[in-house]
C-alpha cells in the first residue's frame, strides 16, 4: 500500500517517502493513470525521505490510480481528485 494524503485531493497530493525505504541512486518512479489507463503524471523520485508533494491542479475531477515502482517493489493506491 502506498501512503498518500489527502484523499480526496483538491490540488496537492503528498506521498510519504519514509515508508518506502528508498536508497539513494534507486530508479524509483511514481505514475498516475486516469481511468482510461493513460499516464497523466510521471515523476522519477530523487528524494529518499520525507514527503513528496505532487501538484494535481492540471488534472480533471475524477478517479485515478497511482503506481509506485522501484525494481520488484510495486505499490498501488486509488485517488479521488475533486
Amino acid at each position: 500500500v502506498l501512503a498518500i494524503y489527502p484523499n480526496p485531493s483538491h490540488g496537492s497530493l503528498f506521498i510519504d517517502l519514509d515508508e518506502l525505504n528508498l536508497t539513494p541512486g534507486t530508479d524509483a518512479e511514481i505514475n498516475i493513470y486516469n481511468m482510461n489507463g493513460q499516464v497523466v503524471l510521471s515523476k522519477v523520485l530523487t528524494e529518499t525521505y520525507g514527503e513528496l508533494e505532487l501538484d494535481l491542479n492540471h488534472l480533471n475531477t475524477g478517479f485515478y490510480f497511482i503506481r509506485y515502482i522501484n525494481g520488484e517493489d510495486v505499490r498501488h493506491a486509488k485517488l479521488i481528485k475533486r
Side-chain angles (χ1 to χ4, degrees):
V1 175
L2 191 60
I4 62 171
Y5 54 94
N7 193 9
S9 174
H10 293 278
S12 291
L13 179 73
F14 297 91
I15 299 175
D16 184 0
L17 298 178
D18 293 334
E19 179 181 295
L20 300 177
N21 297 319
L22 293 168
T23 55
T26 59
D27 292 327
E29 78 179 61
I30 298 279
N31 294 311
I32 300 180
Y33 300 86
N34 64 17
M35 293 300 288
N36 295 323
Q38 300 166 315
V39 176
V40 294
L41 190 143
S42 184
K43 170 87 173 156
V44 174
L45 299 180
T46 55
E47 302 88 354
T48 57
Y49 60 91
E51 62 185 19
L52 172 68
E53 180 178 5
L54 298 176
D55 180 7
L56 306 180
N57 285 308
H58 68 285
L59 298 180
N60 293 327
T61 299
F63 294 94
Y64 294 87
F65 296 101
I66 302 174
R67 184 175 182 196
Y68 161 80
I69 305 165
N70 184 8
E72 294 183 13
D73 185 9
V74 179
R75 303 180 193 200
H76 298 90
K78 295 177 185 175
L79 168 68
I80 299 171
K81 167 65 168 59
R82 292 204 170 145

